[in-house]
Amino acid sequence: MTPFLKKFDGSKVYALGDAHIQHRNMCRGVSSWGNKSGTRDFNSLEEMNETIIKSINDIIPEDGIFFFVGDFIFGDKTKLPYWRERIKCKEIHY
């Protein structure tokens, strides 16, 4: 478990669950699921992944405290460092 890097006062705290970066079946444009309900309305996996990362960076400041409370990526876990490095926030807890 990683300790907090600063005094925790409840400000600048963010949480996200189930980002599912890299999850093809969550992306409507490339999903192999027969029933597309529950998929995200993107044409490509790259578009979905980039939108997720951009949204995180647009909302969460570099000095925030960010908790991932669900699936961050899906599939090839060796790509976790790549996706983590794309997020500007310095303090992330999984």
Side-chain angles (χ1 to χ4, degrees):
M1 187 162 126
T2 305
F4 292 114
L5 301 177
K6 58 183 136 312
K7 182 179 177 186
F8 183 77
D9 66 1
S11 66
K12 295 187 181 180
V13 177
Y14 303 83
L16 174 67
D18 300 322
H20 285 261
I21 292 171
Q22 304 180 152
H23 192 167
R24 296 186 67 79
N25 282 327
M26 292 299 294
C27 178
R28 188 166 301 147
V30 296
S31 178
S32 64
W33 288 344
N35 181 350
K36 304 289 187 194
S37 67
T39 60
R40 298 171 180 165
D41 192 17
F42 294 100
N43 293 318
S44 71
L45 190 58
E46 180 179 298
E47 178 188 8
M48 182 181 82
N49 293 340
E50 293 301 323
T51 299
I52 293 168
I53 295 296
K54 182 180 181 323
S55 296
I56 290 169
N57 287 332
D58 284 351
I59 294 169
I60 301 173
E62 285 187 41
D63 64 343
I65 300 172
F66 189 19
F67 291 91
F68 272 107
V69 294
D71 301 319
F72 175 46
I73 66 172
F74 190 86
D76 185 356
K77 305 296 188 264
T78 65
K79 294 184 180 178
L80 177 63
Y82 169 78
W83 292 110
R84 167 55 187 102
E85 290 169 10
R86 304 272 317 277
I87 296 172
K88 294 177 187 174
C89 180
K90 302 299 181 216
E91 185 170 348
I92 298 179
H93 300 272
Y94 299 92

